[in-house]
Amino acid sequence: MKKFDGVIFDMDGLLFDTELIYYESSQKIADLMGFPYSKELYLKFLGVSDEEVQENYHIIFKEYGKEKIEEFIQRSYADTIEAFESGKVPMKQGVRELLDYLEEQQIPKMVASSNVRPAIELLLKNADIFDRFEGIVSAEDVSRAKPDPEIFRKAVGFLKTEPEKTLILEDSSHGVTAAHAAGIPVIMVPDLLQPDEELRSKTLHVLESLIDVPAYLNN
């Protein structure tokens, strides 16, 4: 069995099927406001912090003016939160089984997400898994978002584990790159985008689902 002293989970696209909700909210508001938005544009910023995405929107849509862009951002966010609050955000396959497994093994776990703390807490509490994590590192806790390794270094500091004895679970290229830069083993469970060979080389393994993680760790 591969022994780890702690496990760090990303959230969006890994614990919850949120990426499609973010995209649909943004596309809906963009269509209403006449912005030339697309899924291709959304995927370009997968795993990037909200702050960085918004900075890019101000560049991409600059002809629409600062106020209109801010309105687009705020309305998209409000629509997303409405979806979160409805409790209709599906949890990814294998989440509960993996949490059960890690608890049986007495391995502490936490969430390290580029999302903001209120959204993280809302989703975890709605799914009744908030108390199953020892802690959260969110966008508010770091000065630089993924692919910078800061968020994972903070998470390891919180767990008080050695980087090489900690496991990160990620779905995005930015997350895998951040884990690799932090010198922490990472398993990728792809969500919307599959890894290329270069990204694969930065992972311990690529698995189809979180449900496959216990069997992998037991081998």
Side-chain angles (χ1 to χ4, degrees):
M1 181 183 165
K2 299 175 183 70
K3 180 66 179 146
F4 291 100
D5 297 331
V7 176
I8 299 165
F9 288 77
D10 177 46
M11 187 185 75
D12 290 305
L14 184 89
L15 288 173
F16 298 99
D17 205 358
T18 48
E19 298 295 0
L20 205 57
I21 290 168
Y22 292 128
Y23 163 66
E24 285 170 353
S25 288
S26 297
Q27 190 67 64
K28 182 168 101 180
I29 303 302
D31 290 346
L32 287 170
M33 294 183 68
F35 277 59
Y37 199 77
S38 66
K39 193 164 191 179
E40 188 182 25
L41 179 62
Y42 175 77
L43 291 174
K44 191 178 171 186
F45 299 111
L46 207 61
V48 175
S49 72
D50 287 354
E51 190 180 26
E52 198 177 327
V53 173
Q54 289 166 19
E55 283 171 8
N56 276 281
Y57 285 171
H58 277 283
I59 296 164
I60 294 162
F61 301 126
K62 63 177 184 288
E63 66 193 86
Y64 292 85
K66 195 176 176 182
E67 277 184 26
K68 277 282 180 202
I69 297 164
E70 280 301 323
E71 186 191 338
F72 165 63
I73 290 165
Q74 295 306 321
R75 286 175 67 183
S76 298
Y77 182 72
D79 196 82
T80 303
I81 293 298
E82 204 176 295
F84 286 3
E85 286 172 342
S86 74
K88 291 174 188 168
V89 181
M91 197 152 56
K92 287 285 199 169
Q93 184 194 24
V95 173
R96 291 193 198 279
E97 292 89 341
L98 178 53
L99 294 177
D100 290 344
Y101 170 82
L102 294 172
E103 283 158 17
E104 283 163 19
Q105 302 294 324
Q106 298 183 310
I107 299 171
K109 52 217 171 307
M110 65 184 298
V111 173
S113 167
S114 298
N115 212 322
V116 291
R117 187 171 289 266
I120 297 168
E121 291 188 358
L122 177 63
L123 286 170
L124 294 178
K125 285 174 181 174
N126 274 355
D128 199 27
I129 58 171
F130 178 78
D131 294 328
R132 301 187 73 173
F133 294 95
E134 273 70 24
I136 294 168
V137 184
S138 67
E140 294 94 328
D141 301 315
V142 294
S143 53
R144 296 173 303 280
K146 303 171 191 175
D148 191 277
E150 182 186 5
I151 193 165
F152 290 137
R153 287 181 177 146
K154 286 216 166 177
V156 164
F158 184 95
L159 286 171
K160 297 183 172 62
T161 51
E162 296 298 321
E164 62 276 11
K165 296 288 282 177
T166 312
L167 175 66
I168 290 171
L169 297 168
E170 263 288 353
D171 68 290
S172 75
S173 61
H174 280 291
V176 169
T177 303
H180 185 256
I184 307 168
V186 57
I187 289 175
M188 185 180 188
V189 183
D191 182 32
L192 297 181
L193 292 174
Q194 292 297 316
D196 58 17
E197 283 310 308
E198 188 193 347
L199 196 63
R200 276 179 178 271
S201 71
K202 293 176 180 177
T203 71
L204 200 57
H205 208 73
V206 177
L207 296 173
E208 274 188 36
S209 162
L210 289 177
I211 212 147
D212 302 323
V213 176
Y216 174 80
L217 294 178
N218 276 332
N219 284 338

